[in-house]
Amino acid sequence: MPKIRLVHLAHARSGDKGDTANVGVIAYRPQDFELLREQLTPAAVKAHFGEMIEGEVERFELTNLHALNFLLHGALDGGGTMSLMNDAQGKVFSTAMLRMEVEVSQETADAVTGKGRVPAGWSAEAYGSSPTAGGSGGDGG
Amino acid sequence: MAERDLIRIASGQGFWGDDLDAPVRQVEGGPIDYLMLDYLAEVTMSIMQKQRARDPEAGYARDFIALMERIFPACVEGGVRVVTNAGGVNPQGCAAALVEAGRRAGVQGKARIGRVEGDDILDRLGDLIDEGHELRNMETDEPLSVILDQVQSANVYIGAAPIVEALEKGADVIVTGRSTDTALTYAPMMHEFGWANDELDRIAAGVVAGHINECGAQSTGGNCLINWWSMPNMAEVGFPIVEARRDGTFTVTKHPGTGGRVDRGTVAEQILYEMGDPTTYITPDVVADFTSIELREEGPDRVSVQGIRGRPRTDFLKVSIAYAGGWKATGTLTYSWPDAAAKAQAAARILRERLDRLGLEFDAVRTELVGWDSTHGPLVGEPPADLPEVQLRVGVRGQDRAAVERFTREIAPLVLTGPPSVTGFAGGRPRVQQIMAYWPALLRREAVEPHLRVRVEEI
């Protein structure tokens, strides 16, 4: 089975509550949600982040949204104004999560190639300038 | 007032420092009934408390006053009512300044200002502890008495009731202190639709609407990861507008012709922002179940939200307490190719040795390489030798201000006394910052609710 990075299967957003970072992971394709649920276990996520987090990982399911929410405890060096981290509020823990590798079928790997990344030929000059600019590298979830 | 079956609640600010023109675009860009402006975050209250300590007239979001001076006439003319927590730790001062702004804007006799007070319990902490309210830290379980003399601000998250009361008394602009961010959106729904306190599913739906509104453009394409490269016209991003219906369903949209995007993906990302246990989203008025949310794309930039369930509120309100928790400083230097990361790591080692030799003690010293590992940490492995450049970022934290101060004087010398190819010190010596540590606690609601006061006055 091929292994691909989660970034091709899901988008994510993170935030903070005290010393805990949350990471919400949303499957691009509803049919991939079950696969995420099987492989993104609290233990696997804890192992992925390794020494980035001191505490435990909790997981919650939001099936209607094809999403999982993870709480990473002890991730923010005390959190809030105490933290010395560049990412003191855990804003980009979401993208650290998307580095994780998951096993998928060859069919899925082929279908999601390049998804979640800037399309080839894209230019920042076009970013945000008109409704049609920039092309589309995904199907909008 | 004729009963309405649909009201439009527009979000105009997601935090203190957000896009200053967004509320203007919301008021001028199409029909809305309410404008909600969220100015507060955990750390904001302590900053405002410090400002009020220096100046008794201060302690609220002054941006809000300048904003209202701009939009007051349009709001009065268009019947747009404004609900905001801009009052911070001084809703009274904020309301007084707002009256002056209203006069300058020419709306005398045409608008009423409501203010909500009583969420600020800083002066009551001693009495509350004496009465047996221990205000234990929700994370460590320690009682507040341990750090009572370090407390800088203490505010209770309050719900919709006082805002609804102000609306019922005819207030056109309502200024609160630490209202929950979500209440700014669902209080207007409770007022307009006459929802009773036990209509839990509807109020919970209002909470979800509030969560989608409370961070401004974060639900309409801003900071959205999904297809971010194709977000249209972000220079004029539209902020979210909730079209709320009497039955508790609602639609998230934005004004036509504005930038950004509203679809399942952008809304779902915001729903997950700062989420804890999604089955149990606790507010002062209801416990909302975010796993019950159903999203449907109705059309371009329109997502309808339904199916939301709620459970009864708890007996407690959350208290946000900030206390002086020591000092910190962070310094940076930039190293260039070749071997940029090796140079930065060597500089960090020398710096640590010098701090040790000076006998300085810190609770924590942290080294990060911006451009390599400052966001993904050890997940990225060892830096390549050909990295074009890297910024060394070293921070210290401790209880001894003098030690932190001394640290700030040890960064610049590295430019001439450490590894080569270093630059980027034009910003000068790092600034020592006081740490405002956060102490979340619970308080029984009967210790707070009798103290809440709603006042409405005409400009």
Side-chain angles (χ1 to χ4, degrees):
Chain A
M1 296 258 278
K3 276 192 166 185
I4 61 171
R5 287 201 194 269
L6 183 56
V7 71
H8 302 302
L9 295 170
H11 56 119
R13 179 168 296 177
S14 52
D16 66 319
K17 276 273 187 296
D19 196 20
T20 298
N22 96 292
V23 179
V25 175
I26 308 160
Y28 282 121
R29 309 188 311 169
Q31 65 264 39
D32 293 329
F33 178 61
E34 192 54 39
L35 176 156
L36 301 185
R37 186 153 54 182
E38 278 167 23
Q39 296 190 41
L40 304 184
T41 62
V45 171
K46 167 97 175 146
H48 170 70
F49 281 99
E51 59 193 72
M52 281 181 80
I53 52 176
E54 290 174 4
E56 292 309 307
V57 170
E58 283 185 274
R59 184 180 93 167
F60 301 94
E61 298 177 13
L62 295 96
T63 307
N64 286 356
L65 303 180
H66 314 119
L68 299 169
N69 185 42
F70 296 90
L71 298 184
L72 315 178
H73 297 289
L76 299 175
D77 185 33
T81 71
M82 186 178 288
S83 177
L84 298 176
M85 295 166 65
N86 192 14
D87 188 20
Q89 292 175 301
K91 296 280 185 190
V92 294
F93 266 74
S94 49
T95 53
M97 178 89 192
L98 296 180
R99 285 180 173 276
M100 209 168 155
E101 290 194 321
V102 286
E103 280 188 4
V104 298
S105 66
Q106 190 61 52
E107 187 191 353
T108 296
D110 293 343
V112 303
T113 302
K115 199 165 170 60
R117 300 295 299 268
V118 170
W122 182 87
S123 148
E125 283 304 302
Y127 174 64
S129 58
S130 79
T132 53
S136 122
D139 61 14
Chain B
M1 187 189 298
E3 285 204 349
R4 295 189 275 198
D5 289 318
L6 182 144
I7 53 169
R8 294 182 180 84
I9 305 160
S11 164
Q13 288 286 273
F15 69 105
W16 189 20
D18 204 352
D19 184 343
L20 291 171
D21 292 324
V24 182
R25 292 200 296 275
Q26 291 288 52
V27 171
E28 295 178 352
I32 61 171
D33 302 300
Y34 288 86
L35 178 67
M36 66 74 72
L37 304 164
D38 174 25
Y39 285 94
L40 302 183
E42 285 174 2
V43 72
T44 317
M45 302 303 280
S46 60
I47 296 169
M48 290 176 165
Q49 196 72 51
K50 276 188 187 174
Q51 292 178 345
R52 190 177 68 172
R54 286 194 295 268
D55 172 5
E57 313 259 290
Y60 58 86
R62 286 187 194 267
D63 291 356
F64 170 66
I65 302 303
L67 167 69
M68 284 309 298
E69 203 170 330
R70 285 173 75 187
I71 65 173
F72 228 143
C75 289
V76 167
E77 200 170 309
V80 177
R81 300 169 93 175
V82 179
V83 185
T84 180
N85 55 16
V89 300
N90 190 0
Q92 192 178 351
C94 184
L98 188 56
V99 169
E100 293 304 313
R103 288 188 182 133
R104 289 193 299 273
V107 297
Q108 304 97 307
K110 297 177 188 165
R112 275 181 278 195
I113 292 173
R115 68 175 199 262
V116 176
E117 295 171 87
D119 61 295
D120 188 340
I121 58 167
L122 184 61
D123 295 335
R124 295 178 54 210
L125 288 178
D127 291 343
L128 286 165
I129 290 173
D130 289 346
E131 288 161 22
H133 302 284
E134 293 184 294
L135 294 161
R136 286 182 180 271
N137 187 309
M138 291 167 72
E139 287 167 10
T140 66
D141 203 39
E142 288 176 293
L144 184 68
S145 53
V146 178
I147 51 112
L148 184 59
D149 58 347
Q150 293 157 254
V151 172
Q152 306 288 312
S153 67
N155 296 79
V156 183
Y157 286 93
I158 56 175
I163 300 173
V164 172
E165 184 182 333
L167 289 169
E168 275 160 13
K169 287 177 173 168
D172 300 292
V173 183
I174 296 156
V175 172
T176 76
R178 188 58 276 199
S179 286
T180 58
D181 306 346
T182 53
L184 305 176
T185 293
Y186 68 79
M189 300 183 195
M190 294 182 73
H191 164 68
E192 291 273 348
F193 301 141
W195 292 342
N197 287 336
D198 61 356
E199 293 189 72
L200 299 174
D201 292 345
R202 289 174 177 183
I203 300 170
V207 169
V208 174
H211 186 88
I212 291 169
N213 253 353
E214 75 183 35
C215 294
Q218 239 190 181
S219 55
T220 53
N223 193 29
C224 282
L225 188 58
I226 183 167
N227 299 328
W228 67 262
W229 50 85
S230 67
M231 284 298 168
N233 194 17
M234 288 300 283
E236 296 176 281
V237 60
F239 274 45
I241 297 169
V242 165
E243 294 178 355
R245 291 174 285 268
R246 187 172 291 276
D247 65 1
T249 65
F250 62 92
T251 297
V252 185
T253 186
K254 62 188 185 68
H255 280 319
T258 58
R261 181 179 293 144
V262 180
D263 63 17
R264 274 185 64 102
T266 65
V267 173
E269 280 194 34
Q270 174 54 24
I271 286 171
L272 285 156
Y273 179 65
E274 290 184 345
M275 177 58 50
D277 175 352
T279 66
T280 308
Y281 187 101
I282 301 173
T283 78
D285 298 299
V286 71
V287 177
D289 180 357
F290 276 47
T291 66
S292 59
I293 297 171
E294 295 164 19
L295 301 181
R296 282 190 210 125
E297 291 185 357
E298 293 181 338
D301 294 320
R302 291 183 66 82
V303 171
S304 72
V305 188
Q306 54 267 309
I308 297 153
R309 292 187 303 268
R311 304 194 297 281
R313 66 190 200 181
T314 74
D315 294 333
F316 296 90
L317 295 173
K318 190 172 175 185
V319 189
S320 168
I321 298 168
Y323 67 99
W327 306 88
K328 72 171 184 178
T330 304
T332 60
L333 290 172
T334 301
Y335 291 86
S336 78
W337 181 94
D339 305 310
K343 291 166 186 164
Q345 286 163 339
R349 212 202 66 73
I350 293 164
L351 177 61
R352 280 186 186 238
E353 188 172 336
R354 288 180 184 162
L355 297 176
D356 284 345
R357 283 169 189 262
L358 288 166
L360 303 178
E361 289 188 11
F362 300 106
D363 297 338
V365 180
R366 186 178 184 92
T367 303
E368 294 177 338
L369 299 184
V370 179
W372 184 246
D373 69 358
S374 84
T375 57
H376 292 183
L379 300 188
V380 298
E382 286 303 312
D386 269 346
L387 210 55
E389 64 184 42
V390 78
Q391 185 184 55
L392 171 65
R393 185 177 189 277
V394 183
V396 301
R397 174 172 77 226
Q399 300 305 311
D400 179 3
R401 181 178 186 158
V404 176
E405 191 78 52
R406 182 58 207 260
F407 159 81
T408 66
R409 291 160 190 265
E410 291 298 316
I411 304 292
L414 281 167
V415 174
L416 300 185
T417 65
S421 332
V422 56
T423 186
F425 196 69
R429 196 176 287 158
R431 197 165 51 90
V432 175
Q433 291 175 277
Q434 187 171 26
I435 293 170
M436 282 299 147
Y438 182 59
W439 185 282
L442 296 176
L443 183 58
R444 296 196 72 84
R445 50 173 77 235
E446 60 265 27
V448 179
E449 287 172 342
H451 296 264
L452 296 179
R453 293 283 177 271
V454 176
R455 292 190 173 80
V456 177
E457 60 179 317
E458 186 156 307
I459 295 179

